Amino acid sequence: MSTRSILPTAAALVLLAASVTAAQAADLTAPSEAAAQLPAASEQSPWMIRARALAVLPQDKASLQLNGTSLDGEKVGVSNSVVPELDITYFFTDNLAAELVLGTTPHSARGSGSIAGLGEIGKAWLLPPTLTLQYHVNLTDTIKPYVGAGVNYTIFYNEKAQGDFSSFNLKNTFGVALQAGVDIKLDDHWGINFDVKKLFLEPEVNATLPGAGTVTGKVKLDPWLIGTGITYRF
């Protein structure tokens, strides 16, 4: 074979080899380029909600007067209550969050201690929205305890006098809230929560007892709020 015939053939082989190599390189790099073009996984939402069963356990201390005269050793027995409760949490960072608690509870009050003879005094519903600032600790990937403190404003409604009383009123009031709890993750969205709060509430009370006069003063409720339920992180 002459030199003139070999050169075109060699050139054709070189071009063919270059084409095959380029195609293989394109096949190898295409997946990585496609992967690079895929959107990054979105970060977890800062919003979380909790649905809990909540036990509200008030105290029974009071400072009362009958027609302006102090009653010694007086107490007001306030009933416990268990209700469903919802709260909304917003995470500013992985550790810092704010929680708004929403729920309402029914309670009854009766005389106790030295005024036990008064019997039933009244019933009322409490609406105590509570806002706390929380600090969360990532103890493990799934167990995240927290502590919090904040403010509460308790609204009393549907007040009804009971027994021998003809009127019964409680004044809405502000209070301080302290909190501790733990979230246990089940997956990226669902979890379990245990929570304890202490509210410091001392509303004014006014009740009329026909034939005897008016009972006024303050009832030191200071309830414990103990809850457990499920969480959902968006």
Side-chain angles (χ1 to χ4, degrees):
M1 181 179 295
S2 67
T3 304
R4 290 183 178 179
S5 62
I6 291 174
L7 289 176
T9 303
L13 291 174
V14 170
L15 290 173
L16 179 61
S19 299
V20 172
T21 303
Q24 291 176 340
D27 290 340
L28 291 174
T29 57
S32 60
E33 291 175 356
Q37 294 174 0
L38 290 175
S42 59
E43 295 182 359
Q44 194 170 30
S45 167
W47 293 98
M48 181 169 72
I49 59 173
R50 298 184 181 94
R52 291 186 283 229
L54 184 70
V56 182
L57 313 175
Q59 306 302 297
D60 63 356
K61 295 181 180 179
S63 176
L64 302 176
Q65 301 85 40
L66 177 61
N67 297 327
T69 302
S70 294
L71 299 171
D72 295 329
E74 72 276 17
K75 293 183 179 182
V76 175
V78 181
S79 64
N80 300 331
S81 184
V82 179
V83 295
E85 173 259 321
L86 175 71
D87 76 61
I88 303 169
T89 301
Y90 182 85
F91 284 84
F92 302 103
T93 68
D94 286 344
N95 303 107
L96 192 63
E99 178 193 73
L100 176 63
V101 179
L102 302 170
T104 185
T105 61
H107 298 274
S108 61
R110 61 181 301 116
S112 183
S114 66
I115 61 171
L118 294 179
E120 294 184 349
I121 299 174
K123 294 182 178 181
W125 280 78
L126 279 65
L127 177 63
T130 303
L131 180 65
T132 59
L133 185 65
Q134 303 172 332
Y135 186 79
H136 294 248
V137 179
N138 297 325
L139 191 62
T140 70
D141 289 340
T142 58
I143 301 176
K144 302 180 184 298
Y146 58 87
V147 294
V151 64
N152 160 270
Y153 185 70
T154 297
I155 300 167
F156 298 93
Y157 67 99
N158 263 9
E159 296 130 308
K160 294 180 179 179
Q162 300 288 309
D164 295 329
F165 285 83
S166 60
S167 70
F168 173 68
N169 295 285
L170 291 161
K171 186 177 180 180
N172 301 342
T173 184
F174 281 98
V176 174
L178 299 178
Q179 176 184 34
V182 60
D183 290 312
I184 302 173
K185 289 179 61 177
L186 300 178
D187 58 31
D188 287 342
H189 295 287
W190 294 97
I192 300 172
N193 173 262
F194 300 94
D195 185 270
V196 177
K197 295 183 184 70
K198 177 68 171 179
L199 304 185
F200 296 90
L201 298 175
E202 196 170 0
E204 295 180 6
V205 61
N206 184 300
T208 301
L209 186 61
T214 302
V215 176
T216 59
K218 291 185 176 182
V219 179
K220 193 171 184 179
L221 296 178
D222 292 354
W224 287 97
L225 278 60
I226 302 173
T228 183
I230 59 174
T231 68
Y232 184 82
R233 183 77 177 262
F234 291 93

